Amino acid sequence: MAATTLADSLKEGRYLDILLRDTAGTLIKDFVETLSHSLPQEQGTPHVDNSSPEDGVPVLDILAIGLAAFNAFLQANVTGPVLDDNGVRSVQQRFTLGGDGDAVAARRQMRRACRRSLDVDGVSVYEHIPVVELFCFARYIFRTRLPAVAHLLLPGGDGEGAGRSLPWLRLRVDVWHYKLVTQPSLGPGSVFNKGLQWCDVPSLQGMIETGLEEVEGLVVGGEGWSTQERVQFLVEKANVCIMLGQDAKAKETLRRATALNGFVYALSGALGKRTRFQEKSTSQLVVLAKSGEAAQPESAQAKPQALALNDDTLLENLDFTAQNEAVDGGKGEPTADIPAPLRDLVPDDQPQLSPMDQIILLAEATLKDAFSPADSLTSEEVLPFAVRVISDKSTNWQIYSHALLVRSRIEVHRSRTIERGVLQMQAVVDQVVVDTTQPTAAETTQVGDVAGDTAVPEIQITADGDEKAEAKTVLQKPTSFFPVAAPADTAPAQVRLEHIHALSSPPRWHLESELAYAWAGVGSLFSALEIFKRLRLWAEVALCFVSNAAKEDEDGRGANGEAKAKAVLRWRLFHKTGTPTEQQGRVSDEADEDVDLDELKEADYCGPERQPAPPNAPRLWCILGDIEDDPAHYERAWEISKHRFARAQRSLGEHYLQQREIVRAQEAYKKAVAVNRLSSELWNRLGDIELRMGNFAEAAEAFGRAIASSDVLTGGEDARTWSNLGSALYSLYVERVKELKKAREGKAADGEDGNEETGTPQRSPAALLSQALAAYKRGANIAHDNWRIWDNVVTLAARLRPPSVADLVFALGNIVRIRASEDALDLEVLRLLLNEGVLSKDKPAGGAGVYEVPRGTTERAVCEFLERDVAPLVTARSELWELIGRERVWRRDYAGAVEAAEKAWRAALGSAAGGLLPAAGSGGGEEKKNWLEDREAWEVVVERTDELVSMLENYGEEVAEIGPRWKGKARSAVRSVMGKARENWEGSEPWEKLAGLLEGLR
């Protein structure tokens, strides 16, 4: 068939027609033969053969057939509409493994072989993927049969630039492979994205990251690509980065895509009403958005059903006031934080957006949802992005479906919208399930009849004993909570698939799992359990049983949940107790449907281990190990995965840590990071263990790897990783100082020069101390409200030679901001800061008035810190006023210096002048002793009195308010102290000092 004809078939969405061609049959036969030979290979990754095909099939025909298989797979599992049943059966008949014999058994063996070929790092794909052979066939074509060229010119292809780029197509296949082997984890917010913080398939993630770099260099950095194609790739990359948990890369990529497309948007506020009874308009969050080139609204497109809110308080849509006709409020004054192109937009009547710009908004919403705390503020910021897309005049079917999904993820966490959120997610899931589920031959006519009308459920009567058959019939037929849309009200396959990769839509079992987690989020773990049972996700079923047991009381549904979980896991991993050897075969899919999970008993499945192991056996073993607290299960998971399942060693390491066997825990985590070098969590934990063992160099390396393998902005587990890295480097610094001191002492004993420093510059104490300080600063900037990390910054900055005055000022300022107490200030550090930053500098030249310190200088920063941050806090610590007084003298602020000396004197006296109440002591928070009884406190009072007298003597006459009266004030201060201290301290050395001061003032 001519390449152009194949391209037309692709464009029209006739994928099965292409796969039924003779040319496709030849390629399918080659694929089946290759698969049968490649199964024993590790990880099921076929060898890439870039030689010319011997069958003479043109390259463009191979490309078209590969795209048809890939798109048909996505249509059947992600978007719908449902594939033609007869066509699917005809195509599946071509995928037969095993030769002669039972055709059904041969096709089942083929599907099992395809699933095994997709296993990665001990992780299996979802067990019940429809037409999985089509995905494996497309993967075989893109990775094996096509030559290694950058461009394949297929006119009209799949309507996208990727249709002519082999590296781009391979990247897409790898991304979908990643989705097939990952499963959402229970958690808040956007559960699929938040559940992927742990990477079980590092080898596949590495392939994806390599592919992203290759395609970016080809598309963005190369020539011959349109702006729209470059934007499309950047949006796809952003969604892939979100999927991999790389939020900083996703943000930067979205920013580039937005700028390249000329798209302008902003999250702003506009006056409006949210509730039915609201009389006064208040500011409401709204997304203002405008495409770079005016997008013309297309003819009305079919859309999925959007449910109404139907709330007695909240309005269906925000009611914006007439003032919003101009964003500046009608005053003609532009708003600084809103881009100029958006200032004339009306919030509820905005222009049509291009499809790619709509996808950018949804990606921005997903990014905020996945990497922000699950709280009301996040919900308020994310919801307007989805609302902007939903309210647009014309929207692609799949984009609209994704926008409804994003809105549902937010609304299920708000009390007023939780009902619509769950039901809307249920409607989206029903639409996808109905549109992607193949009806059986007996049901084809019936389903077709129901499609155009809302059918009344039929009551069926079965004979005794036919319950299981009836249940099986019901399970085979897809059902919908809402009426099924007529064919004229839905979109064809090519329309739904047009933006599928840029949207990064989840497969249908991910959607159903997310619905289960939505039910779990509102407290219905039992509903989640039922969904997982239907999906036959046995690991999730076991986890739900355990969660129910932890949540419910003994008389509730969660009763015996842990025992039920162990029974399910043992049913999957072991043969039934007493099963004869000749009957010990594979777990059959048919048997799964006939098993009542509530009837399973743990004791009934203690027979031999099933061989071969079921899919995802390593994960099942690890969950069983968690429940039974048996490390042997983790070891078995490690062996079954052929030493590739890092989570097994992580669980083993945590078990040993609980048993205080730290050496064995260290060995386990070293094995884990050896196979999964991309997990920052594993590197972090290994660093913790090395730090605890005193292996500071190894700990520093582990924390460095955690930072390198995680987000480029924060790294590792945010501030914790940077702080631990700083601790490891500082410990190395201390060790290095001891080594050099010991070496110098040895050389001095031998009569050699002991001042020479040995070692590399990277291992020098100065370098290690600087690196530790940099790590602490990074951690403190991330966790800017953690005063302990800022305190570490102060400690290390003070140890530098010379001290880092700028770092000291910045860190001390943050400590004061957080703690807001004079007890937070270290006297020695402040004295060092004053001496190094101010007093050691050249004094200002003589002149009249207070010296104005030049802006931007270190002296200015220190003086402002003392005056602005420290002085307002000081109430009882006299030594702090003494430092402030020295700073004011340096600035020629003599009135302020005298004032500081007087405040220091009064602080030293404390409340003893009128009673005896405790005050903060010089140690920073210790109780101050009564100076009338304690000698040390008495000496401090005498010292402060002496300082006050000296300050008055030196600068009193230059203060207008004091002038020649300085002697009288000084004498009054000395007499006041002596009068109170006469009974206890008369005749002591400090007393004689005060007497001398008084004599000098006569």
Side-chain angles (χ1 to χ4, degrees):
M1 191 174 184
T4 53
T5 305
L6 289 174
D8 291 339
S9 297
L10 277 174
K11 190 173 182 180
E12 296 170 4
R14 293 185 282 111
Y15 309 125
L16 295 182
D17 292 348
I18 296 176
L19 296 174
L20 290 174
R21 299 289 178 178
D22 293 339
T23 305
T26 303
L27 292 175
I28 292 173
K29 182 179 179 181
D30 293 343
F31 161 68
V32 172
E33 293 178 356
T34 302
L35 180 65
S36 62
H37 289 92
S38 66
L39 280 178
Q41 296 181 7
E42 182 68 20
Q43 304 302 331
T45 303
H47 172 68
V48 177
D49 180 11
N50 292 321
S51 59
S52 300
E54 297 180 358
D55 47 37
V57 179
V59 170
L60 295 184
D61 283 9
I62 299 176
L63 174 62
I65 293 169
L67 287 171
F70 194 21
N71 288 350
F73 171 81
L74 295 178
Q75 180 181 343
N77 289 278
V78 184
T79 65
V82 65
L83 291 169
D84 177 67
D85 183 45
N86 293 328
V88 170
R89 291 176 183 273
S90 300
V91 170
Q92 286 180 328
Q93 288 175 358
R94 295 190 167 194
F95 291 89
T96 304
L97 190 63
D100 298 333
D102 185 5
V104 175
R107 286 196 293 272
R108 185 179 300 120
Q109 184 182 0
M110 179 67 194
R111 289 194 295 271
R112 187 177 298 123
C114 288
R115 291 197 300 266
R116 288 180 58 193
S117 72
L118 296 175
D119 288 356
V120 180
D121 297 331
V123 182
S124 303
V125 298
Y126 175 56
E127 196 173 351
H128 305 284
I129 303 176
V131 293
V132 66
E133 56 270 26
L134 293 184
F135 178 79
C136 293
F137 179 50
R139 183 168 175 263
Y140 160 77
I141 288 180
F142 296 146
R143 288 206 160 271
T144 304
R145 290 306 302 265
L146 288 174
V149 294
H151 289 75
L152 297 170
L153 300 178
L154 182 62
D158 59 352
E160 301 176 350
R164 58 187 177 91
S165 171
L166 183 58
W168 199 344
L169 291 172
R170 287 175 174 170
L171 172 63
R172 287 178 169 179
V173 168
D174 290 340
V175 169
W176 278 100
H177 188 184
Y178 189 94
K179 292 182 180 181
L180 299 184
V181 298
T182 53
Q183 182 65 26
S185 299
L186 190 60
S190 181
V191 293
F192 177 64
N193 295 299
K194 287 191 176 182
L196 295 183
Q197 297 173 358
W198 172 268
C199 173
D200 276 332
V201 285
S203 59
L204 186 53
Q205 180 176 342
M207 292 173 61
I208 293 174
E209 292 178 348
T210 302
L212 285 173
E213 294 178 2
E214 180 184 3
V215 179
E216 185 167 6
L218 175 68
V219 177
V220 180
E223 298 180 356
W225 297 87
S226 67
T227 299
Q228 190 65 19
E229 289 169 338
R230 290 188 170 98
V231 171
Q232 179 181 335
F233 168 74
L234 290 174
V235 174
E236 286 188 30
K237 179 185 176 181
N239 277 300
V240 171
C241 290
I242 294 174
M243 181 183 72
L244 298 179
Q246 301 168 347
D247 58 321
K249 290 183 179 179
K251 289 178 184 176
E252 173 61 20
T253 305
L254 271 182
R255 185 194 63 77
R256 293 169 57 194
T258 302
L260 187 60
N261 209 33
F263 180 40
V264 183
Y265 66 92
L267 180 64
S268 184
L271 293 177
K273 298 177 182 178
R274 175 176 295 188
T275 67
R276 300 181 186 276
F277 311 107
Q278 188 174 345
E279 297 180 358
K280 182 180 179 181
S281 295
T282 58
S283 183
Q284 309 290 341
L285 283 178
V286 62
V287 169
L288 303 173
K290 188 175 184 179
S291 295
E293 297 182 1
Q296 298 298 326
E298 302 177 5
S299 57
Q301 299 187 33
K303 297 180 182 179
Q305 181 181 4
L307 303 184
L309 185 59
N310 292 331
D311 187 77
D312 57 357
T313 300
L314 292 183
L315 293 171
E316 186 70 32
N317 297 302
L318 291 175
D319 182 15
F320 293 104
T321 63
Q323 279 185 333
N324 295 316
E325 292 182 359
V327 178
D328 57 17
K331 299 178 181 178
E333 301 174 358
T335 307
D337 58 346
I338 299 180
L342 304 178
R343 292 174 185 166
D344 59 345
L345 295 185
V346 178
D348 51 0
D349 187 21
Q350 299 188 50
Q352 172 71 31
L353 298 179
S354 68
M356 200 54 60
D357 291 339
Q358 293 175 336
I359 297 173
I360 289 176
L361 289 182
L362 295 180
E364 182 73 31
T366 303
L367 180 62
K368 290 178 179 292
D369 183 30
F371 299 100
S372 300
D375 53 25
S376 58
L377 180 59
T378 300
S379 300
E380 292 292 339
E381 291 182 350
V382 174
L383 190 60
F385 289 90
V387 171
R388 176 67 178 89
V389 177
I390 293 174
S391 61
D392 221 353
K393 300 176 179 62
S394 176
T395 309
N396 174 271
W397 173 282
Q398 197 64 24
I399 296 177
Y400 195 82
S401 298
H402 202 78
L404 293 177
L405 177 61
V406 172
R407 187 182 70 177
S408 299
R409 289 169 174 168
I410 298 304
E411 291 190 338
V412 295
H413 297 288
R414 306 171 71 182
S415 59
R416 281 289 180 182
T417 58
I418 187 171
E419 181 179 352
R420 200 259 295 268
V422 174
L423 291 179
Q424 183 67 73
M425 188 174 292
Q426 181 76 61
V428 173
V429 169
D430 287 347
Q431 164 214 313
V432 174
V433 171
V434 171
D435 283 356
T436 57
T437 302
Q438 285 290 336
T440 61
E443 294 169 345
T444 303
T445 304
Q446 185 178 2
V447 172
D449 294 339
V450 174
D453 195 6
T454 57
V456 178
E458 179 182 355
I459 299 176
Q460 298 182 0
I461 301 176
T462 59
D464 293 341
D466 291 340
E467 289 84 356
K468 290 187 177 180
E470 174 65 17
K472 186 178 296 185
T473 302
V474 173
L475 285 175
Q476 289 175 347
K477 184 175 180 177
T479 58
S480 175
F481 188 79
F482 298 97
V484 180
D489 297 331
T490 63
Q494 65 273 20
V495 173
R496 302 188 189 200
L497 288 169
E498 185 177 0
H499 307 289
I500 186 65
H501 300 289
L503 277 171
S504 191
S505 297
R508 76 179 194 190
W509 56 91
H510 281 172
L511 271 179
E512 292 186 81
S513 297
E514 188 161 357
L515 176 62
Y517 293 139
W519 284 115
V522 297
S524 182
L525 278 171
F526 186 79
S527 298
L529 175 63
E530 292 303 312
I531 294 177
F532 287 134
K533 284 181 181 179
R534 178 166 51 81
L535 293 175
R536 287 179 272 179
L537 294 171
W538 307 120
E540 278 66 31
V541 167
L543 292 174
C544 270
F545 273 132
V546 174
S547 298
N548 263 328
K551 185 173 182 179
E552 302 287 351
D553 56 21
E554 294 182 357
D555 299 328
R557 285 174 166 173
N560 300 319
E562 189 170 301
K564 292 178 181 179
K566 289 193 285 186
V568 170
L569 294 169
R570 286 192 163 274
W571 164 60
R572 298 301 298 168
L573 294 172
F574 296 94
H575 285 288
K576 198 166 186 177
T577 306
T579 302
T581 305
E582 60 273 10
Q583 297 181 14
Q584 295 175 4
R586 172 181 292 275
V587 180
S588 64
D589 296 338
E590 292 77 7
D592 294 344
E593 298 178 5
D594 298 330
V595 172
D596 184 357
L597 298 185
D598 292 329
E599 298 298 325
L600 292 177
K601 304 296 181 184
E602 176 186 356
D604 293 341
Y605 291 92
C606 295
E609 185 180 334
R610 293 190 184 272
Q611 296 295 338
N616 277 326
R619 186 181 178 211
L620 297 174
W621 276 108
C622 284
I623 297 174
L624 184 61
D626 293 339
I627 297 175
E628 297 185 349
D629 195 23
D630 188 350
H633 294 336
Y634 306 134
E635 296 281 7
R636 186 57 186 151
W638 181 247
E639 294 300 325
I640 289 179
S641 68
K642 299 179 181 178
H643 302 173
R644 295 293 304 170
F645 194 60
R647 183 175 291 193
Q649 288 298 330
R650 183 194 69 166
S651 300
L652 200 59
E654 291 301 312
H655 172 80
Y656 289 138
L657 284 176
Q658 292 178 0
Q659 302 300 319
R660 301 185 183 278
E661 300 180 43
I662 192 167
V663 175
R664 300 184 71 178
Q666 177 198 39
E667 294 173 355
Y669 269 101
K670 282 186 175 180
K671 291 180 181 178
V673 297
V675 297
N676 190 349
R677 310 188 75 81
L678 298 177
S679 172
S680 62
E681 181 181 350
L682 289 179
W683 284 113
N684 260 311
R685 201 64 174 136
L686 178 60
D688 292 339
I689 294 172
E690 299 286 8
L691 198 60
R692 188 184 303 182
M693 296 177 68
N695 302 329
F696 303 122
E698 291 79 3
E701 180 183 0
F703 290 127
R705 291 292 188 92
I707 291 169
S709 62
S710 188
D711 189 275
V712 295
L713 288 186
T714 57
E717 294 183 6
D718 298 331
R720 175 182 173 275
T721 307
W722 287 102
S723 180
N724 286 342
L725 176 60
S727 299
L729 291 170
Y730 180 69
S731 299
L732 278 177
Y733 158 78
V734 174
E735 280 191 347
R736 185 60 177 155
V737 169
K738 292 179 180 179
E739 291 175 3
L740 293 176
K741 182 179 180 181
K742 186 176 180 180
R744 285 195 296 268
E745 291 174 351
K747 290 182 178 181
D750 296 336
E752 301 177 8
D753 183 7
N755 295 324
E756 183 180 355
E757 232 182 58
T758 59
T760 61
Q762 292 79 8
R763 286 277 294 166
S764 69
L768 290 172
L769 193 60
S770 297
Q771 294 168 9
L773 175 60
Y776 277 129
K777 286 167 60 179
R778 191 67 165 172
N781 283 323
I782 296 170
H784 58 278
D785 288 332
N786 188 329
W787 68 267
R788 290 180 175 83
I789 303 182
W790 286 115
D791 195 53
N792 290 333
V793 174
V794 170
T795 301
L796 269 65
R799 287 183 176 271
L800 289 177
R801 292 295 177 267
S804 178
V805 176
D807 290 331
L808 283 173
V809 171
F810 188 59
L812 287 169
N814 279 282
I815 291 175
V816 169
R817 171 183 60 82
I818 298 167
R819 300 187 65 185
S821 169
E822 62 183 324
D823 296 339
L825 298 170
D826 187 290
L827 176 63
E828 297 304 321
V829 172
L830 287 178
R831 181 171 284 117
L832 174 68
L833 178 64
L834 180 62
N835 291 335
E836 294 292 333
V838 176
L839 302 183
S840 63
K841 308 296 182 180
D842 294 335
K843 292 184 178 181
V850 179
Y851 172 60
E852 183 68 23
V853 186
R855 292 182 178 275
T857 62
T858 302
E859 301 94 299
R860 174 86 173 217
V862 175
C863 293
E864 285 186 347
F865 168 68
L866 291 174
E867 296 292 344
R868 182 187 63 242
D869 297 334
V870 176
L873 288 179
V874 184
T875 56
R877 294 182 61 182
S878 62
E879 64 275 14
L880 298 180
W881 281 118
E882 184 265 335
L883 291 179
I884 294 172
R886 294 172 61 189
E887 171 262 327
R888 290 175 178 177
V889 169
W890 184 85
R891 289 194 296 112
R892 298 199 303 267
D893 181 10
Y894 300 128
V898 172
E899 179 189 11
E902 184 175 357
K903 288 184 176 180
W905 175 71
R906 295 186 182 279
L909 289 178
S911 55
L916 295 177
L917 296 177
S922 59
E926 298 178 358
E927 183 178 342
K928 186 174 180 180
K929 299 177 182 178
N930 181 8
W931 61 273
L932 296 178
E933 299 175 355
D934 183 79
R935 185 176 182 85
E936 183 178 352
W938 157 243
E939 291 176 350
V940 171
V941 169
V942 173
E943 182 182 355
R944 297 291 174 260
T945 306
D946 185 19
E947 291 170 356
L948 175 59
V949 172
S950 299
M951 196 69 71
L952 288 169
E953 182 179 1
N954 292 328
Y955 308 111
E957 291 187 355
E958 300 189 31
V959 179
E961 293 79 1
I962 299 177
R965 295 185 296 108
W966 69 267
K967 273 193 177 183
K969 290 181 66 69
R971 282 196 300 267
S972 177
V974 175
R975 287 171 179 168
S976 175
V977 174
M978 294 182 70
K980 292 181 175 61
R982 184 180 304 276
E983 180 179 352
N984 292 6
W985 301 112
E986 185 176 7
S988 64
E989 183 178 347
W991 173 273
E992 296 300 331
K993 183 177 181 179
L994 287 178
L997 284 175
L998 188 59
E999 182 66 26
L1001 293 171
R1002 293 187 184 278

